[in-house]
Amino acid sequence: MGLFFVYFTQFHLDFRLQELDALAKLEGIDLKYADGAYSNDSPFMVVELPSNDDATKLISRAILVNQIYELWGEAPTLEELNTIVKQNPEYKDLYKTSSFKFIVGGYGVTLSAADQLKRIEQFSYLGWEGKIDLKKPDNTFGYFEDYGNHAEKGLPAPEKPHRVYLGRQIASGNRRIVNKYDLKKREYLGITSMDAELSLIMANQALVRPGSFVLDPFVGTGSFLITCAHFGAFTMGSDIDGRQIRGKDGKGIVSNGIQYNLTGRIVDNIVSDLGKPPYGVRAGAKKIGTNDKLKPYLNTIKPNGDPRYPQTIPYEMHDVLLDLIDFAAIYLVPGGRLVYWFPTVTEEYSPDDVPLHPYFKMIANSEQNFGKWARRLITMEKLSKEELERVTGKGGAEAGVAEPAHARFRSKYFEKHP
Amino acid sequence: MKLFTHNMLQCHVKNCTSNNFPLRIEEAELEAAEAEFNEDFMRRIISRLDWDALRSTAVSLGLNTLPETLPEEPDEEFLKNLHNVIMEVG
């Protein structure tokens, strides 16, 4: 067991801890931290992990982590930090001759080059004799000062930090991958394309790994298929709007698969409302149906031989969500995850608005705020086979696949708030 | 469309056939595209396939390599062949 500190990025604050928790589960790592160790107001968080290897593994897919450091000390002041560090002679001895690089960083403050150098020099008591190597050092050490989040609140930065950290860098997160899937470089896009960073975070929340099977029933232009396939999943999409899937002029979901060399993992995309249609604010939702109940469905082939796509009707957001969750209750593998976006009006939102289901545990709820409105990334996990047996009273394979009728759980919330 | 996907699709027209499944494939042109073989994935999805529908559809397309019944303990060779039929032919 050892102590470490995670140095998070300053993006998507509300997603950072949730991603770290998801990755610990994905990699099977025993991640421990104290209540209150994490705050959206600080990029630093002290955690306990079984080993350095676990620290490396934990953040190898992390989109919202810069680095993880072996914790040498944290304290309210630099003086107290020095006292802690001096108590451990190992720090002097182990790194006496190795080449090194020293990083100084701050949160809520900008330290000048001269200030940074001063901080580094005051650690000269460590007595290292190895040469400084900024390109390929044997070890990288980091000293960070946390002044708190004052700028955002319109307050001046305090004179001194309230917390300082020193440690040895163990590993870096996976941010470079965001650039690889940057939408600016993607050949085929639509108005609903999800940015690369959030699509990657979603794949982490969903615990996508090699051999996973992912269905995106609102596939749109396939952003989510790309990032899930990147992590080794076999993916499938469906959408009521086939135009988005097919694209045009040879550019579509298929060509994006070719662009990223992921065609072998993007199995198929189908035009269907199986998991129902695109939802959200930009793409008004539709489902298959006719306004005239008496009119029969038209033949699926037009007289000229072209395929006919069924007529669609508008579809209310909350119905879409409940149908989505019902669909997952029936077809998702036990222990599998359902990850979706929940649009909200910021002022009216209450946590009770998020629909629950007896077959699912609520895992995470992270807000991306746009001012008056927001969207929340909801992560739900279907119960394990054993847990489903308890809830449904059924055993064996039956427990995993719920009967549609039984799964049709209507949230009380929506009855109260039509 | 891959046969893996075909195995999940039902006709949405009521009482199209007795159970609206499987969709009949007419005048299809077969294409082969390489897909990565993942044994874990194949082992997991195998229980979700409707074997009779898969086999009869495969035979109707001239793919005669699937056994009549799903073996109780599928070996790697079987899984690789199944992978070829359901994930690489479309």
Side-chain angles (χ1 to χ4, degrees), chain A residues 254-298:
Chain A
V254 171
S255 74
N256 279 348
I258 294 167
Q259 182 190 350
Y260 296 116
N261 200 16
L262 293 170
T263 45
R265 299 198 198 124
I266 298 176
V267 181
D268 269 318
N269 283 285
I270 48 187
V271 181
S272 144
D273 76 348
L274 114 128
K276 313 295 173 178
Y279 69 100
V281 178
R282 289 192 206 174
K286 298 271 196 235
K287 66 178 170 182
I288 289 176
T290 59
N291 289 319
D292 185 350
K293 288 242 162 67
L294 299 172
K295 238 167 60 187
Y297 279 109
L298 295 164

Side-chain angles (χ1 to χ4, degrees), chain A residues 392-409:
Chain A
T392 61
K394 282 189 202 151
E398 267 183 281
V401 186
E403 284 168 23
H406 193 92
R408 266 185 208 287
F409 170 83

Side-chain angles (χ1 to χ4, degrees), chain A residues 8-17 19 38 40 43 63-66 107 175 178 197-198 201 367-368:
Chain A
F8 287 105
T9 65
Q10 279 307 110
F11 304 104
H12 302 301
L13 307 185
D14 207 27
F15 296 67
R16 301 187 300 189
L17 181 59
E19 186 194 38
Y38 176 82
N40 277 359
I63 304 303
L64 298 176
V65 173
N66 291 318
Y107 174 64
R175 282 204 69 74
V178 176
E197 188 172 16
L198 289 167
I201 293 167
E367 183 190 46
Q368 185 187 19

Side-chain angles (χ1 to χ4, degrees), chain A residues 343-357:
Chain A
T344 60
V345 176
T346 308
E347 269 188 20
E348 293 170 10
Y349 169 77
S350 136
D352 300 337
D353 294 355
V354 184
L356 301 173
H357 190 289

Side-chain angles (χ1 to χ4, degrees), chain B residues 36-50:
Chain B
E36 174 186 276
F37 174 72
N38 183 306
E39 191 172 333
D40 288 343
F41 173 71
M42 292 303 292
R43 284 195 188 282
R44 267 185 286 122
I45 56 111
I46 209 167
S47 62
R48 296 205 158 193
L49 295 172
D50 184 317

